[in-house]
Amino acid sequence: MPVIIFDGFCSSCNRWARWIENRDYKSKFKLIAQDSEEGNLVMAECPENLRKHDSVLLATENRWYSRSTAVCQILWRLSLFWKIIGSMLWMIPRPFRNLVYDLYAARRHRLPTADS
């Protein structure tokens, strides 16, 4: 089962985790807060080059994904509508996708949320 690792201290990240959970009709994902005991166990297996990213991570049976690539991979595992959105996003060159992702990630703690 693919595992999504997210920042459990971030209200925006928690909101996105709930968003995924609400659209994961077939329970394809396991969502784990990075800073939890289980998250620490999963992160111990994370490739060193991905640990430095301030990013959501997706771990599958044999691959790890981060940043915008993780987002696309997550969308592709949801309903047809989200697969199409993920495919459209994938057509944007990765450096530009990651730039937008990184800009959002750098400011996510300052963004207003419903629980703020």
Side-chain angles (χ1 to χ4, degrees):
M1 171 181 287
V3 176
I4 299 171
I5 300 108
F6 64 97
D7 181 352
F9 287 122
C10 170
S11 60
S12 182
C13 300
N14 280 293
R15 188 181 76 233
W16 282 112
R18 284 191 308 274
W19 184 92
I20 293 166
E21 197 171 52
N22 290 336
R23 285 154 184 82
D24 184 15
Y25 303 121
K26 296 182 181 178
S27 300
K28 294 181 179 182
F29 297 110
K30 182 172 186 175
L31 289 121
I32 300 174
Q34 183 177 352
D35 43 34
S36 67
E37 189 174 315
E38 189 174 13
N40 288 331
L41 292 173
V42 174
M43 287 303 293
E45 299 175 24
C46 181
E48 191 65 38
N49 64 324
L50 295 182
R51 290 183 195 180
K52 65 181 177 179
H53 292 184
D54 185 15
S55 171
V56 63
L57 296 171
L58 174 65
T60 63
E61 286 183 21
N62 55 2
R63 300 266 332 244
W64 284 80
Y65 303 95
S66 69
R67 300 161 76 192
S68 67
T69 302
V71 171
C72 289
Q73 289 287 330
I74 292 165
L75 291 172
W76 288 336
R77 288 169 169 83
L78 297 175
S79 68
L80 178 61
F81 175 78
W82 296 111
K83 287 177 187 176
I84 293 169
I85 298 297
S87 295
M88 290 170 38
L89 182 60
W90 187 256
M91 288 191 254
I92 300 168
R94 184 171 46 183
F96 296 115
R97 287 192 329 254
N98 283 341
L99 175 66
V100 172
Y101 183 95
D102 292 343
L103 290 171
Y104 177 83
R107 291 162 181 77
R108 72 184 192 276
H109 293 289
R110 291 179 274 169
L111 296 173
T113 60
D115 53 326
S116 298

